[in-house]
Amino acid sequence: MTVAERVADAPTVLVIHSPDESSVCRELVEADVSAGREVLWVCHERSACAVAGAIDEADTAGVLSVGGLPGEADAVGDVHVETVSKPGDLPALGLKLSRELSEHDGDLTVCFESITALLEHADRDGVCRFLHTLTAQIREAGARAHFHLAPDHHVETTGVVASLCDALVESDAEPAVRARPSTDAVSDS
């Protein structure tokens, strides 16, 4: 069974991996695109131009460049680009993500490239409150998201961030997957 199949019922997934490992991300995105979803790419460590050059425009809802330059949008062609100029500006980031979620009728997948970068620019408690709100909005909108986190974070930080998501994928040679039981199967006994 593939990673995408194992987390198919999890609207939010935390992917723990080294920055150069992206096979799990590709698998998750390809599965969601095959299911008719568009992808919103939230990038911190790459420019919007680099992201747009590596994606299929037909399947892309847009790119949200955090810490990007406002003029960057002009050089990306047909891909819609929004920017949040300050990488630690969680309210601005949250507002733009909320708008994207409301504009798509549940047919959106968010690839959040780096929780690690977000933690470098904002305090952990603020990032966790932001993620708590965002994951709730994603579930409510019927959307999906996966969040990337580098494996070298403190165990407590990783645990808190993982607790906000419905599944955890630790990307090694054979990715380990842990998912919460679905709350949809409620017994009437």
Side-chain angles (χ1 to χ4, degrees), residues 64 84 89-99 130 134 137:
L64 179 51
V84 174
D89 190 349
L90 299 177
L93 179 57
L95 182 64
K96 290 188 185 239
L97 285 165
S98 292
R99 190 176 321 130
F130 166 80
L134 179 60
Q137 289 175 334

Side-chain angles (χ1 to χ4, degrees), residues 64-100:
L64 179 51
S65 179
V66 181
L69 304 172
E72 195 173 32
D74 300 335
V76 182
D78 292 338
V79 176
H80 176 73
V81 176
E82 292 274 341
T83 59
V84 174
S85 60
K86 295 178 183 170
D89 190 349
L90 299 177
L93 179 57
L95 182 64
K96 290 188 185 239
L97 285 165
S98 292
R99 190 176 321 130
E100 288 291 335

